[in-house]
Amino acid sequence: MMAASSTMSKESAASYDMAEFDQSAIFLYLEDGHDQEQQRQTLNIFPSQPMHVAEPIPAKGVSMGMVAASMLPNGNSSSPKRQEQGGQQRSVAAPAGPVVPLPNNNLAKDNRNSLTKKEENSGGKGAASGGAQERLKDPKTLRRLAQNREAARKSRLRKKAYIQQLETSRIRLSQLEQQVQVARVQGVFLGTGDQPGFPSAPSPAAVFDVEYGRWVEEHSNLMFQLRAALSEHLADEQLQSFVNGGMAQHEELLHLKGAMARADVFHLLSGVWVSPAERCFLWLGGFRPSEVIKVMLKHVEPLSEGQILGIYQLQQSVQEREEALNHSMEATQQNISDIVAAPDVAPATFMGHMSLAMNKVAAMESFVMQADGLRQQTLHKLHHILTTRQAARCLLAITDYFHRLRALSTLWVARPRQDDGPGLQS
């Protein structure tokens, strides 16, 4: 019995010692594995990735233990040895999963703070946008916006009306300037007699002579610029402006002559307002249109067949109208001569007799006006037939023609004279 008991005690002691040995070995094994895990996680402080790449921040609801577990190899929280001895680990009173410290606590805190700020900012923006939408839905805000749109629309309408008013005023001002110019000439032409407190007005003939001198000077300056433009070979668009200016000046002269014809047709027909050489070629108070066409043909070349045909037809129609006006003017002059030369005019019927002559003189005014109209139509038709450069040369040819006539008159007046008889010598 004693031997058996001793034998059982040795076996129990041996078994007890073996159990203690197994537990101590298990604890040592677990501690060694835990140390290896800590060492592996500690080595993760220096990852192979660049340091500027931040670790992903876990979303809400994810525990730090799960993050630590995901950081272990193969995504497990224990080593393979611990997985094999799961039953022994469950028998030991230990935590469910070891809490591994993050590689960099400061970086994690900064990431959490930045995430919190982003959430706050996004929440603030959402709240701001929501508040803006609520303000836009506010009736007062909608009414204010509608008022602003209406005020802007009215402002645009006022601006447009103001611009239209300025344009209308500018056109009206140019028309008034033309009317004032014509009225000034006509008023001086028609004004006679002295007014108290004012000096006597000049005669219509004197005013017309001054205005014609001014026109000749301005037209000569414009033609000088046109000649320079032709010599510099400017574009047709630039030449067209000079041509239009020359045509406008000819129309201005026709307006002046029309006012003079109504004021004193005899002064206009006499031609004393032009040089003596020009007076020799004067026709009904101006140049003869057919003569201008002949002058133009000598200076404007080359002309196409269509242009030559158009100019020939124009010349034929102009000559026919010139002949008709010549016959009418000669008949009127003959009637005036017959009325004035009537014999035995009684003093009682003298004024009635002169009134008939006055009516014939009024007919002469209409002939002068028709002649001016024919001159204007001839220039405009030539302008349409010719090109821009040809029209420019045409205006220069007409200007040179009358300039040479005036030069001829000046040379004739300044010519040296010889005494006719010896009695006049001293």
Side-chain angles (χ1 to χ4, degrees), residues 6-20:
S6 62
T7 302
M8 292 177 62
S9 63
K10 288 180 181 180
E11 291 176 358
S12 63
S15 62
Y16 177 76
D17 294 338
M18 183 61 67
E20 291 182 353

Side-chain angles (χ1 to χ4, degrees), residues 216-279:
V216 170
E217 183 179 358
E218 292 179 355
H219 187 69
S220 300
N221 293 334
L222 181 61
M223 293 299 103
F224 178 80
Q225 297 175 4
L226 178 58
R227 194 185 307 275
L230 279 175
S231 62
E232 294 176 1
H233 302 285
L234 296 181
D236 292 344
E237 292 77 8
Q238 296 176 341
L239 289 177
Q240 187 64 43
S241 62
F242 292 105
V243 174
N244 293 336
M247 298 294 294
Q249 284 186 345
H250 277 286
E251 291 181 359
E252 180 184 357
L253 178 61
L254 294 178
H255 286 302
L256 291 174
K257 290 174 62 179
M260 186 62 206
R262 289 186 291 271
D264 188 359
V265 67
F266 295 114
H267 179 79
L268 198 63
L269 289 173
S270 64
V272 293
W273 46 281
V274 294
S275 61
E278 291 179 283
R279 196 180 309 153

Side-chain angles (χ1 to χ4, degrees), residues 116-241:
T116 304
K117 290 181 179 179
K118 288 182 179 179
E119 291 178 355
E120 291 178 355
N121 293 334
S122 62
K125 291 181 180 178
S129 61
Q133 292 179 357
E134 291 180 358
R135 285 195 300 272
L136 288 176
K137 294 180 180 180
D138 186 13
K140 293 183 179 179
T141 305
L142 294 176
R143 184 169 58 254
R144 190 179 300 109
L145 292 175
Q147 292 175 356
N148 293 339
R149 288 193 296 268
E150 183 67 18
R153 187 184 66 84
K154 291 182 179 179
S155 178
R156 289 193 297 269
L157 292 177
R158 286 195 299 268
K159 182 179 179 181
K160 184 177 180 181
Y162 179 70
I163 294 174
Q164 292 179 353
Q165 184 179 4
L166 287 178
E167 184 67 19
T168 305
S169 301
R170 185 186 65 80
I171 296 174
R172 180 59 180 167
L173 180 61
S174 62
Q175 294 176 354
L176 287 176
E177 288 178 353
Q178 295 178 359
Q179 293 177 4
V180 166
Q181 179 68 17
V182 175
R184 181 173 63 85
V185 175
Q186 291 179 355
V188 174
F189 287 164
L190 297 177
T192 56
D194 297 338
Q195 295 180 0
F198 294 94
S200 58
S203 63
V207 174
F208 177 78
D209 294 345
V210 172
E211 292 294 331
Y212 177 73
R214 178 190 60 80
W215 180 88
V216 170
E217 183 179 358
E218 292 179 355
H219 187 69
S220 300
N221 293 334
L222 181 61
M223 293 299 103
F224 178 80
Q225 297 175 4
L226 178 58
R227 194 185 307 275
L230 279 175
S231 62
E232 294 176 1
H233 302 285
L234 296 181
D236 292 344
E237 292 77 8
Q238 296 176 341
L239 289 177
Q240 187 64 43
S241 62

